Amino acid sequence: MKQALKLAARGEGWVSPNPMVGAVVVRDGRVVGKGFHRRAGLPHAEVEALAAAKDAARGADLYVTLEPCNHQGRTPPCTQAILAAGIRRVIIATADPNPQVTGGGAEFLRSRGVTVELGLLEAEARRLNEAWFHWTATGRPWVLAKAACSLDGKIATAGGESQWLTGEAARAFGHRLRHRVDAIVVGIETALADDPQLTTRWPGRKAKTQNPEPGSRGKDPIRIVLDSRLRLPLSARLLHLHSPAPTWVATTGQAPPEKRRALEDQGAQVLVVPEEAGRVSLPALLDLLGSRQVQSLLVEGGAEVLGAFFDHKLVQQFNFFYAPKILGGRTAKGVLGGQGVIHLEDAHIARDLSIRRLGSDLLVSGYL
């Protein structure tokens, strides 16, 4: 099952809106076939593994990280392929929460005489697809907050300089995060100040969604700008990228219609979202994104946008990069703006913390 989980992770960033799945066929204690889901619309992991095993699959065991599907989607049911291959036992890490699948795949196989075991390395399997499980249960994307700051928590100097606080290793990791998620969001102030591209740029790699070898090149996420009054200039680099991923501008009903049309003429999609205190309502935005099958969202800032997501308790996971620099300055911006908490008892409590070195920087990751 550990091999199957490792295989499944190779589809990271490529398979959405499907989950990552890996499968291994074992006969007489020997691996005879393995596979993983490479991209939505392509064969599922079980089918890949069975095809690799060929006749050796008959009478063998199949280890799979997610309950096999028993319904017709973009590809045929995996349960039928398992039966046709003659698999005698199926070991499943975790059940599929999809109402079309839950219990159905396992029970169907049992009803046809296949031995089914469920729950091996279940926690690891659920962690692998945590964004997909969250989206399936809530209808909203999994929100990952990311920031780079000094040791004293500043994202820029008192004079406003911020590039580059962290080193190359930390920035490369940040681009890996972009590859993993469906969408990335920044506020209009960041868009105006930095004129970012918000693309995935790994050294020596190009962003392509049709890459035949998932994992070898990065994928661009959907780029989202929070812009309640549509101040994004038509010359912004976000509007002039040669990227398969679109740019979305989230605004409110107060935005000028003529500016909306001008942005759409540049190829952007303008999303009109209910407002909250004169700004785009973040809960409403997440509902809208979830309905568009955006399962994971990377929040890159700036400080007010990050703070607003924390204020609304919308963050599930965070990655904070700390450079070995101390900036100081009462006017220097900190990582989080927004309202903040008044009482310590209301503080956001981080769990499952991990700390790792990335070059000379520290990465602190955790969940909320």
Side-chain angles (χ1 to χ4, degrees), residues 106-117:
E107 287 307 312
F108 177 81
L109 291 171
R110 288 192 180 107
S111 72
R112 299 302 191 274
V114 178
T115 300
V116 178
E117 300 175 11

Side-chain angles (χ1 to χ4, degrees), residues 64-119:
V64 62
T65 58
L66 187 68
E67 182 179 2
C69 63
N70 191 39
H71 65 283
Q72 178 72 45
R74 295 174 66 178
T75 58
C78 289
T79 50
Q80 296 291 347
I82 292 169
L83 291 178
I87 291 290
R88 71 174 183 89
R89 184 173 67 136
V90 177
I91 302 93
I92 303 168
T94 183
D96 189 324
N98 186 331
Q100 293 181 292
V101 179
T102 303
E107 287 307 312
F108 177 81
L109 291 171
R110 288 192 180 107
S111 72
R112 299 302 191 274
V114 178
T115 300
V116 178
E117 300 175 11
L118 181 67

Side-chain angles (χ1 to χ4, degrees), residues 37-76:
H37 186 39
R38 295 173 182 270
R39 189 174 289 108
L42 293 183
H44 288 186
E46 301 95 317
V47 174
E48 273 211 351
L50 293 171
K54 299 180 181 177
D55 292 341
R58 192 158 300 278
D61 297 339
L62 173 67
Y63 289 79
V64 62
T65 58
L66 187 68
E67 182 179 2
C69 63
N70 191 39
H71 65 283
Q72 178 72 45
R74 295 174 66 178
T75 58

Side-chain angles (χ1 to χ4, degrees), residues 222-242:
I222 297 167
R223 298 167 293 276
I224 303 173
V225 180
L226 303 179
D227 187 3
S228 58
R229 297 297 181 265
L230 292 185
R231 292 187 289 146
L232 186 69
L234 299 180
S235 60
R237 292 197 294 174
L238 289 168
L239 304 175
H240 303 279
L241 296 171
H242 297 292

Side-chain angles (χ1 to χ4, degrees), residues 258-281:
E258 63 276 10
K259 184 60 180 295
R260 175 179 174 177
R261 288 192 293 270
L263 287 170
E264 290 172 339
D265 287 343
Q266 293 287 349
Q269 295 184 38
V270 179
L271 311 180
V272 179
V273 183
E275 69 177 70
E276 182 180 318
R279 297 183 175 183
V280 170
S281 167

Side-chain angles (χ1 to χ4, degrees), residues 112-322:
R112 299 302 191 274
V114 178
T115 300
V116 178
E117 300 175 11
L118 181 67
L120 180 63
L121 299 185
E122 181 175 8
E124 291 88 337
R126 293 187 66 87
R127 176 60 62 88
L128 177 70
N129 281 305
E130 57 196 0
W132 180 77
F133 277 103
H134 175 82
W135 173 77
T136 302
T138 68
R140 287 180 172 180
W142 176 270
V143 175
L144 169 59
K146 175 242 177 183
C149 60
S150 62
L151 282 179
D152 53 335
K154 305 293 186 180
I155 63 172
T157 67
E161 292 183 16
S162 61
Q163 295 183 336
W164 296 99
L165 267 174
T166 52
E168 289 186 6
R171 295 199 296 275
F173 190 93
H175 282 285
R176 288 178 58 193
L177 293 179
R178 290 182 179 183
H179 164 77
R180 283 170 44 186
V181 299
D182 291 336
I184 180 174
V185 64
V186 297
I188 183 58
E189 298 300 337
T190 295
L192 292 174
D194 298 342
D195 193 18
Q197 298 183 73
L198 304 182
T199 53
T200 300
R201 300 184 298 281
W202 289 357
R205 300 178 180 180
K206 297 180 180 179
K208 290 186 178 180
T209 57
Q210 298 302 317
N211 176 34
E213 293 295 333
S216 65
R217 296 184 180 184
K219 174 200 96 280
D220 285 347
I222 297 167
R223 298 167 293 276
I224 303 173
V225 180
L226 303 179
D227 187 3
S228 58
R229 297 297 181 265
L230 292 185
R231 292 187 289 146
L232 186 69
L234 299 180
S235 60
R237 292 197 294 174
L238 289 168
L239 304 175
H240 303 279
L241 296 171
H242 297 292
S243 169
T247 294
W248 295 352
V249 182
T251 190
T252 68
Q254 302 300 316
E258 63 276 10
K259 184 60 180 295
R260 175 179 174 177
R261 288 192 293 270
L263 287 170
E264 290 172 339
D265 287 343
Q266 293 287 349
Q269 295 184 38
V270 179
L271 311 180
V272 179
V273 183
E275 69 177 70
E276 182 180 318
R279 297 183 175 183
V280 170
S281 167
L282 297 183
L285 174 65
L286 292 188
D287 288 336
L288 177 60
L289 295 181
S291 71
R292 290 182 165 223
Q293 294 194 314
V294 174
Q295 298 176 5
S296 51
L297 179 68
L298 178 63
V299 183
E300 283 208 359
E304 289 303 315
V305 169
L306 280 165
F309 272 90
F310 275 89
D311 285 344
H312 284 81
K313 299 186 184 301
L314 297 175
V315 178
Q316 279 74 51
Q317 187 180 7
F318 63 89
N319 280 311
F320 288 170
F321 300 85
Y322 288 88

